[in-house]
Amino acid sequence: MDQMQLELLKEFVKNLKRDPDTIHLPELIFFKEWLVSLGANLPLPSKPEPPKGETKPEPTKEPEKNMDEEKENAMRCNCNDINVDGVKDEESRSFKENCTEGEKTNEAVIDEEENLKLLITDLPMEVIVHIYEFLPLVSRYNASMACHVLYEAFNHPKLWHAQRLMINGDVLNYGSKYFGNCTRTVPNKVKHLVKKFGKYFQLLTIQVFGHLGKLQEWSSVLLELSQQCRLEKLTLVVGKMTTESDLLGNPPKKKDMDILLSFIQNAFRIKHLDIKSWPLFPETMFLADQNIFKALMKNTKLKELEQLDLFWPYTNLMWSERQPILPDSNMVLELIQYLGNLKKLGLRSTMLSDALLEALASSRRSSRISLIRIFVTYAKGKPEYQIPTIKSLSWKRLTDINPDFHVECHVMPRLPSIELGNMLTLDCPLSKITFLQWSRIDDQLMESIVNKFNQTLKTFEVYCDFKDYDETLIKMVAECKYLENLVIRSCSTHCVNVETIKKLAFWRGTRWVTFQFDEKNISFIAKPQNIEEDTVVAKNENGEYFLVGMHQFHAEPEGKERRMKCQELKESLAVILGQKFISRNKAIIIDRNSTV
């Protein structure tokens, strides 16, 4: 039952308290009978109702008198015996009384109907603003023209806290004759919104599609916004991440970069800076007035920054450039040493070093770091994309100064298990590890994770190829006592046996916070016990050879039978886990943090 239905129910109960006779209305007979069945004592109606089955007696009609007799009787009567004026006054008085009672009855009925109605303008302003957040801009504007209450909600500062500006940059940075002369116009609605509501922007995302360039039309709008907004979080998605192929083209012009750097230079209360992409050309990185990190360190008010994310991509996309141009570890170290109030840090693995962890553990810092998120970037044979080797002592220093410190790791490329182990050493307090779609996981890597991080691991997510690791998965859940979030959304089919899923669910029971399995990952066919794990071709009872994987694939139930088995699994797991599954994106999901 949503909030609006609750408000209507409250109004209905208030009306019943004001007028108890309402419960006896014919329209509410179903509600009255339900209350009586519960043992409720209802007040008797002020006007007794006729019992069921009885009809009101019709008034008996007097026999009509003969008109001649009436005339004769009237002629015999003495006119002095009849008070004509009194009769007229009495009739007029009774008529007025009847009309007044009728009007009062009609007014009472109208009042009751009006009291039962709940208009959107009767809702609290916070609720109306929350409804507005689900509407597109055009619908918000049209609604605001209805009345002053909705207009006031349209101008509420909370409605404009989070905004995204999307700007079309250059398609190419090679000066193409087809795209080089294209103009970048600013929509009029953006101009009006920035002028009227720009001072309310607090969570701002600036996204430039293509390459940074041709921002002349946007310059006045963005400069005005950078001077008046009071940002708390700024997200910069300035084109795609720079790669070696982009270095063959033209770098962005200084005047275009100055427009975006003005948000860094004019910021005075930002707590979270998220740089997802930024043009990193050698020509600009060595110029102090075009280097975003130098501009950040020139603003003394940004020393209070609490969270910094450097080139951390949108992980829901499962992809990022494999070999992007990134700032080196020395530049990142200089920046981290300047930002002494950081509590959360997200960065690429190539930026990590022992010196950076030592700087974060320094006693001169005003705040203790509580979280480091690492996005693994790796390319075989290229030194600049190798996984750094981190000493266990460096991790231990951070846990010593803050016992709540933890590390989250997202793995996108395929890399040797030993490489990842050199960075995530024994004393690293790893609490979450995610293998994205194009990564790789095997038994050896899973064994290493279990042996090293069984006292700290809380979340394990797999979106890559995952096949025949049932025993290792059971061992992980058994030994990692703090594991409470398990997500298997692999691109493989039939990779986890149904009995394994039941064992995993039973091992934690109601302590699972997140428990997700893609339906295509579930296998309802048990593996033959006489066939080894790595066997590709085997011989059946008739002496015929067959492909093991293909045989199991075709033996799986399909269509209606598979849907029925999945439903049976959901029902049995719901009893174990104490919560029903959410059917979403063809997956069986339990998420106790979800509001769905």
Side-chain angles (χ1 to χ4, degrees):
M1 181 178 292
D2 57 21
Q3 189 63 30
M4 184 174 292
Q5 291 174 331
L6 288 174
E7 293 294 334
L8 290 172
L9 183 58
K10 289 179 182 178
E11 290 296 328
F12 175 70
V13 173
K14 288 180 182 179
N15 290 330
L16 284 179
K17 291 180 179 179
R18 285 196 295 266
D19 186 9
D21 286 346
T22 306
I23 195 64
H24 299 288
L25 292 175
E27 296 85 354
L28 298 177
I29 186 66
F30 71 98
F31 185 59
K32 176 181 175 182
E33 292 177 351
W34 178 69
L35 291 176
V36 171
S37 67
L38 295 178
N41 293 324
L42 301 181
L44 297 176
S46 55
K47 295 180 180 180
E49 299 178 351
K52 294 183 180 180
E54 292 187 9
T55 56
K56 295 182 179 179
E58 296 182 359
T60 56
K61 295 183 179 180
E62 297 182 357
E64 297 181 356
K65 295 184 179 180
N66 191 358
M67 294 299 296
D68 295 335
E69 293 180 358
E70 289 181 358
K71 288 181 181 180
E72 291 178 0
N73 294 332
M75 292 296 293
R76 294 192 192 99
C77 291
N78 187 1
C79 292
N80 294 332
D81 296 337
I82 301 174
N83 188 357
V84 179
D85 294 334
V87 173
K88 290 182 179 180
D89 292 341
E90 186 176 354
E91 292 178 353
S92 177
R93 194 181 304 112
S94 62
F95 177 76
K96 289 180 179 179
E97 290 177 355
N98 292 334
C99 290
T100 305
E101 291 179 1
E103 290 176 359
K104 290 181 178 179
T105 304
N106 293 335
E107 290 177 358
V109 172
I110 293 173
D111 290 341
E112 289 179 5
E113 293 178 354
E114 291 296 329
N115 289 333
L116 291 176
K117 290 181 180 178
L118 181 64
L119 303 176
I120 188 173
T121 53
D122 296 330
L123 297 173
M125 183 59 65
E126 292 78 6
V127 177
I128 300 176
V129 172
H130 184 64
I131 294 173
Y132 266 173
E133 291 176 351
F134 295 94
L135 300 178
L137 180 60
V138 176
S139 300
R140 292 183 191 177
Y141 177 77
N142 292 335
S144 69
M145 295 293 102
C147 65
H148 70 280
V149 176
L150 297 182
Y151 182 77
E152 183 181 352
F154 182 75
N155 289 273
H156 198 282
K158 185 180 178 182
L159 191 62
W160 307 101
H161 279 182
Q163 293 298 316
R164 178 187 291 267
L165 293 181
M166 293 181 288
I167 304 171
N168 289 323
D170 280 339
V171 178
L172 300 172
N173 65 334
Y174 299 102
S176 172
K177 64 180 180 179
Y178 298 105
F179 302 104
N181 297 322
C182 295
T183 57
R184 308 292 184 263
T185 58
V186 184
N188 287 328
K189 67 177 182 181
V190 175
K191 295 180 180 179
H192 293 307
L193 289 177
V194 169
K195 186 174 182 180
K196 188 170 184 179
F197 304 113
K199 57 181 177 291
Y200 300 141
F201 292 0
Q202 293 185 3
L203 311 176
L204 179 62
T205 299
I206 300 177
Q207 185 169 5
V208 179
F209 296 95
H211 295 271
L212 180 60
K214 302 289 192 305
L215 296 185
Q216 295 89 341
E217 294 293 330
W218 280 88
S219 60
S220 59
V221 176
L222 294 176
L223 290 174
E224 178 185 1
L225 179 60
S226 67
Q227 294 171 1
Q228 66 173 327
C229 64
R230 306 175 64 186
L231 295 179
E232 294 183 357
K233 177 183 177 182
L234 175 62
T235 302
L236 294 174
V237 191
V238 184
K240 68 184 188 69
M241 297 189 69
T242 309
T243 58
E244 292 183 359
S245 61
D246 298 320
L247 298 182
L248 301 175
N250 301 317
K253 296 181 179 179
K254 181 179 182 301
K255 57 183 179 180
D256 292 329
M257 298 191 70
D258 288 342
I259 295 172
L260 296 181
L261 287 175
S262 64
F263 286 91
I264 302 294
Q265 297 163 353
N266 297 330
F268 62 93
R269 56 179 292 179
I270 287 183
K271 299 298 181 183
H272 183 187
L273 178 60
D274 186 1
I275 304 174
K276 294 197 175 296
S277 60
W278 183 265
L280 297 179
F281 286 77
E283 296 88 339
T284 60
M285 291 301 294
F286 293 102
L287 299 175
D289 56 347
Q290 297 184 42
N291 188 323
I292 187 172
F293 305 110
K294 298 292 184 181
L296 197 154
M297 288 186 284
K298 284 183 179 179
N299 189 343
T300 57
K301 295 179 180 178
L302 290 181
K303 280 189 174 182
E304 301 302 317
L305 197 68
E306 296 181 356
Q307 183 172 349
L308 175 65
D309 292 314
L310 296 176
F311 303 95
W312 184 274
Y314 292 108
T315 52
N316 60 324
L317 300 178
M318 300 288 175
W319 177 254
S320 176
E321 285 76 5
R322 293 185 64 250
Q323 300 179 23
I325 305 297
L326 297 170
D328 59 22
S329 57
N330 294 327
M331 186 178 297
V332 176
L333 174 60
E334 182 182 0
L335 179 62
I336 297 305
Q337 290 174 338
Y338 177 78
L339 302 174
N341 196 45
L342 276 182
K343 298 177 181 178
K344 297 180 180 180
L345 176 63
L347 73 174
R348 295 288 182 123
S349 57
T350 56
M351 306 176 191
L352 197 64
S353 64
D354 284 315
L356 186 141
L357 296 183
E358 290 176 7
L360 290 173
S362 174
S363 58
R364 295 191 298 270
R365 299 182 65 84
S366 56
S367 294
R368 298 175 180 177
I369 191 76
S370 61
L371 171 65
I372 293 181
R373 298 193 303 159
I374 306 171
F375 191 91
V376 177
T377 301
Y378 174 80
K380 185 178 180 180
K382 295 195 174 184
E384 63 272 24
Y385 297 112
Q386 295 302 302
I387 306 296
T389 300
I390 305 296
K391 299 176 183 177
S392 293
L393 181 61
S394 300
W395 293 116
K396 191 174 185 303
R397 286 172 181 165
L398 290 173
T399 54
D400 288 342
I401 64 172
N402 185 6
D404 295 329
F405 168 73
H406 59 283
V407 176
E408 296 180 0
C409 183
H410 285 65
V411 183
M412 185 200 71
R414 298 191 172 193
L415 73 165
S417 303
I418 191 172
E419 294 285 344
L420 189 62
N422 291 336
M423 180 180 66
L424 303 177
T425 52
L426 183 61
D427 290 317
C428 175
L430 183 69
S431 65
K432 177 180 180 180
I433 187 164
T434 301
F435 293 90
L436 299 179
Q437 184 174 355
W438 305 106
S439 61
R440 179 176 59 188
I441 189 171
D442 53 26
D443 268 330
Q444 181 182 357
L445 183 55
M446 291 184 65
E447 288 277 358
S448 174
I449 293 172
V450 172
N451 295 333
K452 287 183 178 180
F453 311 114
N454 52 49
Q455 298 298 317
T456 59
L457 190 65
K458 294 182 178 180
T459 301
F460 183 73
E461 298 181 354
V462 176
Y463 299 92
C464 63
D465 189 16
F466 188 84
K467 194 74 172 177
D468 298 332
Y469 301 139
D470 292 44
E471 295 299 325
T472 312
L473 193 59
I474 292 174
K475 180 181 177 182
M476 174 180 287
V477 175
E479 297 188 11
C480 298
K481 60 181 180 179
Y482 296 109
L483 187 66
E484 58 185 13
N485 301 287
L486 179 63
V487 178
I488 306 296
R489 305 289 296 274
S490 172
C491 53
S492 304
T493 57
H494 312 147
C495 57
V496 183
N497 189 264
V498 61
E499 297 301 324
T500 301
I501 297 176
K502 292 179 180 180
K503 289 180 182 178
L504 298 175
F506 182 76
W507 202 275
R508 285 288 186 278
T510 56
R511 289 181 294 167
W512 282 115
V513 176
T514 305
F515 192 82
Q516 299 186 17
F517 281 86
D518 201 309
E519 289 185 1
K520 70 178 181 181
N521 299 149
I522 304 173
S523 173
F524 293 96
I525 302 299
K527 291 184 60 177
Q529 297 181 355
N530 56 347
I531 298 179
E532 297 182 1
E533 183 176 350
D534 298 331
T535 303
V536 178
V537 179
K539 185 184 294 187
N540 60 16
E541 298 175 353
N542 299 326
E544 300 173 345
Y545 289 95
F546 65 94
L547 294 174
V548 176
M550 189 65 68
H551 173 74
Q552 290 182 337
F553 178 81
H554 288 291
E556 291 286 341
E558 296 180 352
K560 185 177 180 180
E561 183 184 359
R562 183 173 183 83
R563 289 194 296 270
M564 291 178 62
K565 287 184 176 293
C566 286
Q567 185 60 35
E568 292 175 0
L569 176 62
K570 292 179 184 179
E571 293 174 356
S572 61
L573 292 181
V575 176
I576 299 173
L577 300 173
Q579 183 172 335
K580 291 185 178 180
F581 277 93
I582 303 169
S583 296
R584 187 169 61 214
N585 299 331
K586 293 184 179 180
I588 50 178
I589 299 172
I590 277 186
D591 190 351
R592 302 188 197 278
N593 295 324
S594 175
T595 57
V596 180

